[in-house]
């Protein structure tokens, strides 16, 4: 009975963890565009498993993006700072390719596109 209670206390609150990850992502900016990578639409998916491992599927504004090496590493390092996270894997994809349509209304407003 004690073991059950202990396990229940350790259960992940995925909504809270997801919100923490989004907060971190909103603090990372594409150096060429003054908008964070989340609002820019570069984050396609964030998955968290019960072992506190995170997988982030993201894209870049172009395959030749100058931060192709550093941006995914920055995402990985910053998300790893969240308490309880054991591992972070960042996968880059260009399917579908990024377009301005993926940007949030907030990002479009910030860039004067509305």
């Amino acid at each position: 009975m004690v073991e059950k209670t202990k396990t229940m206390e350790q259960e992940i609150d995925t909504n809270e963890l997801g919100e923490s990850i989004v907060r971190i992502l909103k603090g990372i900016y594409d150096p060429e565009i003054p908008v964070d990578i989340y609002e820019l639409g570069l984050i396609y998916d964030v998955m968290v498993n019960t072992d506190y491992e995170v997988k982030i599927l993201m894209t870049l504004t172009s395959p030749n993006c100058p931060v192709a090496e550093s941006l995914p590493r920055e995402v990985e390092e910053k998300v790893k700072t969240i308490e309880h996270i054991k591992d972070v894997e960042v996968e880059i994809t260009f399917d579908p390719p990024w377009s301005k349509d993926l940007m949030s209304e907030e990002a479009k407003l910030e860039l004067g596109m509305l």
Side-chain angles (χ1 to χ4, degrees), residues 4 19 21 41 48 50 63 67 71 76 84 95 100 102:
K4 247 184 192 177
E19 288 172 14
I21 293 169
V48 181
T50 54
V67 293
L71 192 60
E76 181 181 317
H84 304 300
D95 184 26
K100 292 176 184 168
L102 296 171

Side-chain angles (χ1 to χ4, degrees), residues 52-96:
Y52 296 88
E53 297 167 333
V54 177
K55 181 171 182 179
I56 298 172
L57 184 62
M58 68 176 287
T59 194
L60 302 169
T61 53
S62 79
N64 302 325
C65 182
V67 293
E69 294 291 321
S70 62
L71 192 60
R73 193 168 40 251
E74 180 181 359
V75 168
E76 181 181 317
E77 289 170 0
K78 288 190 174 174
V79 172
K80 275 185 183 174
T81 66
I82 298 172
E83 189 177 4
H84 304 300
I85 298 285
K86 290 185 182 156
D87 194 31
V88 179
E89 177 188 346
V90 176
E91 183 181 330
I92 300 292
T93 184
F94 292 101
D95 184 26

